[in-house]
Amino acid sequence: MKAVIVDRPGEPDALSVVELPDPGKPGPGEVRVRIHASTLNYNDTLVIRNPRTPAGHIPLADGAGVVQEVGEGVTDLAAGDAVFGCFFPQWLDGGPTVDNFSTTPGLGLPGYAREVVVAPAAQFERAPAGYSHAEAATLTVAGLTAWRVLFSDGGLKPGDKVLILGTGGVAVFALQFAKLAGATTVVTSSSDEKLERVRQLGADQVINYRSEPQWGDRVQELTHGGADIVLEVGGPSTLPQSIRAARIGGLVSLIGVLTGTAGEIPTGELNMKQVRLHGLVVGGRRQQRDMVRALDGAPLRPVIDRTFELDRLGDALEYFSSGVHLGKVVVEL
């Protein structure tokens, strides 16, 4: 089977297209899945460019395809089911149970940059009805992260005000989910072109954070008191403005650290405003199933910016890393 591996960890040309042995039939509790699509996430770039990644590692945490065969004891899935991957296969229900990526496909385990996967059935969930494989692949990381921020943890309800930083995969899903739920949205970007595109997707207000560096105050004005939920992706450089933008008692959900992993936090303002600051990473299978139920029959479709073939995964990574995309970058197999 065709696959892409991290052949030269840490080097600019780290990836190689290879032929690997077919993984064979599934064992008890396993499924065999033909992978048809994946999408790119920030963590994928970190793994591929990390010199400590083991040579031969198969990357990509998103994956979607069709079940070809099930092993003994598998009852939740059947041959012919369209499925997509679970980020934390062992986190079944309740609060967070995992604080590392050792059990995450594409990060700690072999990922989906390959044609066929044989793995425990818990690693896959049925795709929403009517979704293409490319659309389903966007849900593993980006879709589920946005769902958890807004609904599982944020308790979003109609009329709430949501601030969304950026126009990447999670951000665009958050915009779509929020509008589907009847919320008011404010989106930030440094690109006027992207801001116009998110307006077309339903954003109620937009802010160019380069021309308005004190955008937290601007959000306060636009929302007449601050955002109920803030989707925070930047980390130390943007967190102070996100806290400023939140309403008294609001929620700031930190899902990314694009500007670093440490920095100053305005603890006085955080305390006086009684803002809840919440760090999170994707979500568990129960949240994933809730999301799929909501999407079954819903008019929402993921925003796909551009599609690459698996042979061009390196080009896809360069395009993704340039930051020019809006929504998801897909890799088809």
Side-chain angles (χ1 to χ4, degrees):
M1 68 169 178
K2 181 186 292 185
V4 171
I5 62 170
V6 183
D7 197 28
R8 297 167 294 278
E11 297 184 17
D13 57 342
L15 300 172
S16 292
V17 181
V18 298
E19 286 291 329
L20 297 179
D22 187 278
K25 297 177 71 64
E30 294 182 331
V31 293
R32 175 185 168 99
V33 177
R34 172 62 167 91
I35 302 298
H36 288 284
S38 180
T39 75
L40 300 183
N41 299 288
Y42 180 63
N43 280 332
D44 296 318
T45 67
L46 297 181
V47 168
I48 291 170
R49 293 169 178 166
N50 188 342
R52 294 178 294 179
T53 295
H57 176 72
I58 302 172
L60 302 190
D62 286 346
V66 177
V67 176
Q68 293 182 321
E69 189 176 355
V70 302
E72 181 183 354
V74 176
T75 58
D76 288 347
L77 297 174
D81 283 346
V83 295
F84 68 109
C86 302
F87 191 81
F88 290 125
Q90 297 178 357
W91 177 8
L92 303 180
D93 204 349
T97 62
V98 188
D99 66 354
N100 61 76
F101 298 137
S102 63
T103 60
T104 298
L107 304 181
L109 300 177
Y112 297 110
R114 49 178 164 161
E115 292 180 315
V116 180
V117 171
V118 173
Q123 193 168 308
F124 294 96
E125 185 63 46
R126 281 192 184 88
Y131 267 46
S132 69
H133 297 307
E135 289 172 332
T138 68
L139 299 173
T140 296
V141 175
L144 183 54
T145 302
W147 176 269
R148 181 181 171 192
V149 167
L150 297 180
F151 300 108
S152 300
D153 295 342
L156 183 70
K157 58 187 182 298
D160 280 352
K161 301 162 187 175
V162 181
L163 170 62
I164 300 163
L165 272 60
T167 57
V170 181
V172 172
F173 261 118
L175 171 60
Q176 292 178 291
F177 283 147
K179 296 311 298 178
L180 194 65
T184 299
T185 55
V186 182
V187 179
T188 70
S189 173
S190 61
S191 165
D192 288 334
E193 179 184 355
K194 288 184 177 181
L195 291 175
E196 179 55 35
R197 290 174 67 188
V198 295
R199 275 194 186 277
Q200 296 170 8
L201 290 171
D204 296 287
Q205 301 285 350
V206 297
I207 300 173
N208 187 315
Y209 62 78
R210 292 203 188 281
S211 58
E212 294 198 57
Q214 300 302 312
W215 45 267
D217 291 329
R218 181 61 175 151
V219 173
Q220 286 285 332
E221 296 173 6
L222 293 173
T223 58
H224 306 289
D228 297 283
I229 301 173
V230 179
L231 182 82
E232 163 60 62
V233 301
S237 292
T238 55
L239 189 54
Q241 288 298 315
S242 288
I243 293 171
R244 175 65 55 85
R247 68 165 172 82
I248 297 172
L251 172 66
V252 176
S253 286
L254 177 65
I255 69 160
V257 288
L258 297 178
T259 65
T261 57
E264 293 186 5
I265 298 177
T267 52
E269 186 171 11
L270 183 72
N271 188 45
M272 290 304 298
K273 291 182 70 175
Q274 302 170 71
V275 168
R276 293 170 292 151
L277 176 58
H278 181 209
L280 62 90
V281 180
V282 194
R285 290 190 67 203
R286 172 56 58 189
Q287 296 163 333
Q288 190 167 3
R289 289 183 175 180
D290 290 343
M291 174 183 67
V292 170
R293 281 199 300 271
L295 291 175
D296 276 334
L300 188 154
R301 281 295 187 273
V303 175
I304 294 174
D305 180 280
R306 188 171 172 185
T307 300
F308 293 80
E309 295 297 320
L310 180 63
D311 292 355
R312 297 184 58 207
L313 179 55
D315 295 335
L317 284 166
E318 287 187 18
Y319 179 75
F320 176 81
S321 299
S322 72
V324 300
H325 64 287
L326 186 146
K328 296 297 292 180
V329 176
V330 167
V331 177
E332 290 190 334
L333 287 73

